[in-house]
Amino acid sequence: MRVAAARLVCLVALLGSAACASDAPREVAPSVAAYCGEDAEAVEARIDALLGEMTLDTKLRMMAGSRPGVVGGVWEVPGAPEHGVPGLHMLDGPRGLSAFTDLEGTAFPVGSARGATWDPELERRVGAAMARELRAAGADVLLAPTINILRHPRWGRTQETYGEDVHHLGEMGVAFIEGAQSERVIASAKHYAANSIDDTRFDVNVVVDERALREIYLPHFRRAVTEAQVGSIMSAYNFVNGDHCSESTHLLRDILKGEWGFAGFVESDWLLGTRRTAPAVNAGLDIEMPAGNHFARGRLLAAIDEGAIELETIDEAARRILRAQLCFDLDTDPALRDPARLPMEAHHGLAREVAERAMTLLRNEGGLPLERAGTLAVVGELAARENIGDLGSSNVRAPYVVTALEGIEAAAGGATVVHLSEPLDAEDEAALEAADAVVVVAGLTEDDEGEGGIASGDRESLALPRGQDALIEAVAARSERVVVVLEGSGPMLAPWLEEVEAVLMAWYPGMEGGHAIAAALFGDVNPSGRLPMSWPVAEADLPPFDNESLEVVYDYWHGYRHLERSGVAPAFPFGHGLSYTRFELGAPRLEREVLSGMDDALVVEVEVTNGGEREGVETVQLYVSVPESAVERAPRDLRAFGQVRLEPGASGTVRLEVPARSLAYWGEAGWTLERTGYVAHVGTSALDLPHAAPFRVE
Ligand code: BGC
């Protein structure tokens, strides 16, 4: 169909461009073919024709959003209806249909919660579900996923990203993008690049050496492009090594579009995301959002007149913008606004499933699961609060939110639930003493963390705010059986840890979160979440977080790699999470112990046995060390993970695959795969790695 359409356009246009005149098969770069699929040739031919027909004005108009605010519930980039080009219609975002539209959407658990599922297949379904809601809101570009490295958990947007590890972030991001794009929605991986501080996000210059950039800050973006064929990339607000991200030739033209062969378009981030005209266009920024300021027609024309921008550069941007629209069939199958379909009820069950899978049991000295008998006291300011995350661009208008208290009350069965509000008086204290168990719901809210500039920004510290430590300690002094449920984006210091029986990390669990919390507490669901970031004892254990200076250095070290290198134990390691059952891991079996080069892969099988009395999910993690590397490597790097769900007494096999290229380091000569010995460490967290298996690259 596409081929026929392209020929028709050529005939009608009578342009005589090479592709039309000869009708010869068009040479399409492999990366364009991968981006566009079987339509690639026809689409490129049609774009050739369109570029010949369109006036310069029409092309320039496509290079900027139409207005600073949403139009009809979406941010719009004009198309060219006279040429059958529909334009783009953008909306956030990372946890569901953006509240910037006027419609209600399903509020999923935030990115860090979904990171804790370590389940890319589930994340693929989340991406697809968000995309379906976006289309029903009339949008065709989903401003997600956020795949910035969590360098430090004080970052205000910790909740939007999946975690601290390069490999884990890549797996989850690729799955989300593939899910979203399977619904003919263009995903937009953001924010490219090194965007991990919010308070200074508009001005900060991140100084990062090429090795840290290539190995830590970019690999998951590369995978978004080369594996998931992400439709678009959003440039970041910050500067990298002195260049604004919208003007970084190195990031945009050389690496993204050059080395990785990215075939889609780059749009700027919103408020101050574009700073100048010619430097941005020439570096490879294709669209200024949300409206044309530096990319306003007059400014672009002036730059062209002065010779600062070549017409071919405009054509290249226009080609990318057209390609995305045509490859995603936006011309023939547009997203049609249909508020009656929103929010999609079928997705509420998915929001609950994800929340249940995200529940991360950090500590359990026997406090959990709770019995459905006796008296259960529920305390803490967050127990009855709707707490689903940031009020910035990731905010969603949920049709309802189940609080922890509501969830517990609904699930309590034979237990009597008493809710004690603060400040606790003598009567409340007596009730605590009389209760069979106490659940304290504590943590962070949208007042403590969020997007900079438009919401709360970075966290002030890793401590629990508003006197919650004192509350937990006061409760622990009156009850032997205290369970702390924590809500928030990530790690919080827990000076009271040894005084409580159990700690359940619930994240910002989305609109169904209260039910998921209760299911984990009462044991209806066996917790299977695993930390996607390290949980430090003290903030000083992490690299510094500087959200005041206008220049920061991002070196090679953060997260578990930093902690292990400096010999500091975390409160809970990366990858950690307990279960109500017990799993045993067999010794890893390597398919081959010698790999032959970049395109080879290590294949490992691990047998897992559920030795307990409950069905459960185990996440097997494989970390690699390079004992005799020529350069300093991390003590261990996560390179693969996989999951298995097992009935009590059952065994199953997890198959793990480590592409040899992921073992390469970035050196003087580019990617270097050392011919040396490696060790695969297999276990269930960065610090619980009972099995080691050597292998070699020859
Ligand atoms: C945020 C982006 C978001 C955009 C549109 C910006 O301020 O940084 O993540 O997609 O606004 O809402």
Side-chain angles (χ1 to χ4, degrees):
M1 241 175 93
R2 282 281 176 199
V3 176
R7 287 190 184 139
L8 188 67
V9 169
C10 291
L11 288 174
V12 171
L14 286 177
L15 270 177
S17 79
C20 291
S22 68
D23 209 18
R26 198 184 183 289
E27 279 284 317
V28 171
S31 60
V32 173
Y35 182 89
C36 208
E38 58 188 20
D39 292 343
E41 253 180 50
V43 165
E44 294 306 303
R46 179 159 170 216
I47 295 172
D48 290 338
L50 285 170
L51 292 178
E53 290 165 40
M54 284 178 162
T55 62
L56 181 58
D57 260 8
T58 306
K59 295 175 190 170
L60 299 184
R61 220 177 39 227
M62 299 192 306
M63 290 179 64
S66 66
R67 266 183 259 174
V70 292
V71 183
V74 295
W75 276 294
E76 175 193 86
V77 180
E82 66 280 22
H83 296 284
V85 175
L88 295 163
H89 309 87
M90 304 187 175
L91 270 182
D92 293 279
R95 71 170 194 254
L97 182 67
S98 166
F100 286 134
T101 186
D102 51 332
L103 303 169
E104 287 181 343
T106 304
F108 288 94
V110 295
S112 57
R114 306 202 309 273
T117 69
W118 290 58
D119 187 345
E121 286 316 307
L122 190 56
E123 188 59 6
R124 187 183 305 273
R125 288 164 58 204
V126 171
M130 278 188 205
R132 285 191 287 273
E133 297 205 358
L134 220 81
R135 279 185 70 102
D140 41 47
V141 180
L142 169 55
L143 303 173
T146 300
I147 51 170
N148 293 115
I149 281 282
L150 177 59
R151 182 168 169 83
H152 196 291
R154 277 181 56 200
W155 178 33
R157 298 178 82 170
T158 297
Q159 60 190 274
E160 284 185 44
T161 195
Y162 297 110
E164 74 181 29
D165 178 76
V166 170
H167 174 71
H168 170 270
L169 195 45
E171 290 289 297
M172 300 302 286
V174 162
F176 179 94
I177 294 164
E178 288 177 348
Q181 296 194 163
S182 72
E183 296 287 330
R184 315 307 295 159
V185 161
I186 299 171
S188 191
K190 66 191 189 182
H191 311 79
Y192 185 71
N195 177 168
S196 300
I197 296 178
D198 250 59
D199 287 356
T200 50
R201 63 180 179 160
F202 299 125
D203 305 297
V204 70
N205 178 35
V206 176
V207 177
V208 53
D209 67 45
E210 198 63 18
R211 182 172 176 211
L213 185 68
R214 299 287 188 150
E215 291 186 38
I216 309 295
Y217 293 94
L218 298 188
H220 34 289
F221 281 102
R222 173 170 40 86
R223 293 185 59 191
V225 171
T226 59
E227 288 177 37
Q229 306 301 332
V230 71
S232 67
I233 293 273
M234 184 189 294
S235 62
Y237 283 131
N238 50 285
F239 295 71
V240 170
N241 293 330
D243 291 327
H244 193 258
C245 282
S246 68
E247 298 178 8
S248 172
T249 303
H250 187 52
L251 287 174
L252 299 179
R253 204 165 279 294
D254 299 346
I255 297 178
L256 174 67
K257 294 180 173 179
E259 285 175 36
W260 303 344
F262 175 59
F265 64 85
V266 179
E267 84 274 12
S268 73
D269 202 344
W270 259 234
L271 307 171
L272 287 163
T274 311
R275 300 299 178 89
R276 294 185 294 174
T277 306
V281 173
N282 292 331
L285 181 69
D286 301 303
I287 300 179
E288 178 180 21
M289 289 304 292
N293 173 20
H294 298 286
F295 281 24
R297 181 178 156 277
R299 280 186 160 163
L300 288 169
L301 278 176
I304 293 166
D305 281 350
E306 283 162 19
I309 301 176
E310 301 287 333
L311 285 176
E312 292 88 85
T313 314
I314 299 294
D315 271 4
E316 193 221 303
R319 174 177 295 280
R320 289 170 176 278
I321 296 163
L322 291 168
R323 180 184 289 141
Q325 295 178 47
L326 302 181
C327 293
F328 281 82
D329 295 338
L330 305 188
D331 55 336
T332 53
D333 183 18
L336 298 177
R337 186 178 154 101
D338 183 2
R341 294 171 63 215
L342 284 167
M344 295 184 175
E345 265 173 47
H347 297 165
H348 300 174
L350 179 59
R352 174 153 176 186
E353 183 182 345
V354 176
E356 289 179 351
R357 289 294 321 281
M359 291 297 141
T360 309
L361 185 58
L362 297 178
R363 171 182 170 86
N364 190 13
E365 297 297 306
L368 288 178
L370 299 170
E371 297 88 38
R372 288 184 156 98
T375 305
L376 180 63
V378 178
V379 201
E381 58 165 321
L382 301 191
R385 178 163 173 160
E386 297 188 354
N387 196 25
I388 60 169
D390 179 26
L391 297 182
S393 59
S394 65
N395 192 16
V396 173
R397 285 176 214 276
Y400 62 85
V401 176
V402 181
T403 66
L405 181 64
E406 287 165 350
I408 291 169
E409 282 173 342
T416 307
V417 178
V418 289
H419 177 221
L420 308 176
S421 328
E422 290 142 73
L424 301 178
D425 58 22
E427 207 177 309
D428 296 327
E429 287 172 2
L432 287 175
E433 278 164 19
D436 296 286
V438 184
V439 173
V440 187
V441 186
L444 309 170
T445 72
E446 70 274 14
D447 298 330
D448 306 308
E449 54 181 348
E451 197 170 328
I454 62 173
S456 298
D458 299 318
R459 281 165 71 183
E460 275 168 29
S461 84
L462 290 185
L464 276 178
R466 295 181 294 279
Q468 296 178 95
D469 285 334
L471 173 74
I472 296 170
E473 271 153 15
V475 172
R478 287 178 177 77
S479 171
E480 293 283 293
R481 193 162 172 204
V482 179
V483 174
V484 177
V485 174
L486 292 172
E487 295 180 348
S489 65
M492 297 155 232
L493 303 183
W496 34 260
L497 201 57
E498 301 292 321
E499 296 161 47
V500 303
E501 283 274 279
V503 180
L504 179 73
M505 178 60 176
W507 315 94
Y508 291 116
M511 59 187 274
E512 284 280 328
H515 289 317
I517 291 171
L521 292 177
F522 288 110
D524 303 335
V525 158
N526 186 357
S528 60
R530 299 287 180 266
L531 286 176
M533 73 281 281
S534 311
W535 193 293
V537 175
E539 191 170 332
D541 297 343
L542 301 181
F545 181 74
D546 179 357
N547 55 342
E548 287 172 5
S549 305
L550 296 188
E551 187 152 299
V552 296
V553 176
Y554 283 4
D555 65 10
Y556 194 61
W557 304 103
H558 75 282
Y560 65 89
R561 304 159 80 261
H562 167 85
L563 289 166
E564 283 179 40
R565 179 177 184 246
S566 35
V568 175
F572 303 109
F574 174 79
H576 167 80
L578 303 172
S579 164
Y580 295 150
T581 188
R582 275 188 333 275
F583 294 101
E584 283 130 39
L585 264 55
R589 292 186 302 267
L590 275 53
E591 210 173 75
R592 274 176 301 118
E593 279 156 35
V594 180
L595 308 185
S596 59
M598 283 284 194
D599 294 327
D600 208 347
L602 177 76
V603 178
V604 178
E605 286 188 347
V606 182
E607 183 156 289
V608 184
T609 304
N610 181 349
E613 263 124 55
R614 298 280 316 256
E615 183 206 49
V617 176
E618 181 57 297
T619 301
V620 180
Q621 303 164 35
L622 186 156
Y623 297 74
V624 174
S625 61
V626 199
E628 291 181 9
S629 178
V631 295
E632 186 183 6
R633 304 271 194 143
R636 279 180 289 265
D637 274 304
L638 181 76
R639 288 295 179 238
F641 62 88
Q643 288 186 333
V644 60
R645 178 184 286 277
L646 293 171
E647 295 292 333
S651 299
T653 302
V654 173
R655 189 172 188 275
L656 303 164
E657 205 173 312
V658 182
R661 65 180 60 251
S662 75
L663 306 172
Y665 71 88
W666 181 266
E668 298 280 297
W671 288 110
T672 306
L673 180 61
E674 287 181 282
R675 292 168 200 286
T676 182
Y678 297 76
V679 183
H681 305 265
V682 175
T684 56
S685 82
L687 287 188
D688 178 12
L689 296 168
H691 300 290
F695 64 99
R696 294 191 63 77
V697 175
E698 299 274 321

